[in-house]
Amino acid sequence: MKHRAFSILVVAALACAALAATASAAGKGRAFQFRGELTAASSSSVSLQVEGGNHAALRAMLGQSQDQSFAVTGSTEVLIWSHGIPKVGTVADLKLGDWVQLTLHDKGGSSLSDLETKGAGVVADRATKGNPSTLPLYLYVGQVAGPQANGQIAMNVSGGDARALRTMIGQPSAQTFTYGDSTIFLLWQGKVPTVIDASQLKAGDRITVRVRAPRASTLAQVEATAAVHVGDHEPANASDNS
């Protein structure tokens, strides 16, 4: 009787192991989230001007243009958000110029070309970029002061928008800002931006640093908040991507 019970437990354990292995093999893998403005949509693909994303997505974007196209398959789910409520839609419901978030899953370290052919899991159309926390923008302009590492950007501030300049009153030009996994770094060559890593910033480069922080924040509070966007050699007439 004990032998039979033990046999049943062994079979059950093997079955569970088999199911776990199957689930792992068929698992979704790592999430890659790309956010940006929709530039084209068809039954087979959607194109974005990528302006942000999670760490995995931004790593895949290194050295690539902001303009990218992703495959759409029969399993891609389209969500149309309205007044904070999503409803299931189709690619035909997507509108050019809308702010969308595209999510897909693949193994960690997948190349951008692999991700683009994988097939999007979810395309969420939120119509406008918005800023859910209603945090204002602090824009600083200056020159890179040295190598960037450990989440810190050293720069000599020489300009910025009115809100940023108010925080600089009575402060030295040499300042250090923070960046995080979701900070997007763009290198502009003429009118064409490509995604880069913080380590590629060079001393003396002209950069713009955009931070979203509460109104009336002190300079120290702004600097402790991770930047949303850092532009290297950004043209003065470039659109605000934050």
Side-chain angles (χ1 to χ4, degrees), residues 9 73 130 139 166-167 232 234 238-239:
L9 288 174
T73 67
L139 170 63
R166 279 197 294 271
T167 68
D232 189 353
E234 179 178 337
S239 60

Side-chain angles (χ1 to χ4, degrees), residues 85-167:
I85 301 174
K87 67 175 183 179
V88 177
T90 67
V91 173
D93 296 316
L94 299 174
K95 297 180 180 178
L96 301 187
D98 277 3
W99 181 258
V100 300
Q101 177 172 292
L102 183 148
T103 304
L104 57 85
H105 291 78
D106 205 349
K107 62 183 179 180
S110 293
S111 67
L112 182 62
S113 58
D114 287 340
L115 296 172
E116 290 183 329
T117 58
K118 178 76 175 181
V122 177
V123 179
D125 186 333
R126 295 180 177 272
T128 58
K129 182 175 183 178
N131 182 29
S133 60
T134 67
L135 296 177
L137 174 69
Y138 292 78
L139 170 63
Y140 299 84
V141 180
Q143 291 74 41
V144 176
Q148 312 308 309
N150 302 318
Q152 301 292 312
I153 305 172
M155 67 181 290
N156 292 313
V157 179
S158 58
D161 64 9
R163 185 174 290 107
L165 292 178
R166 279 197 294 271
T167 68

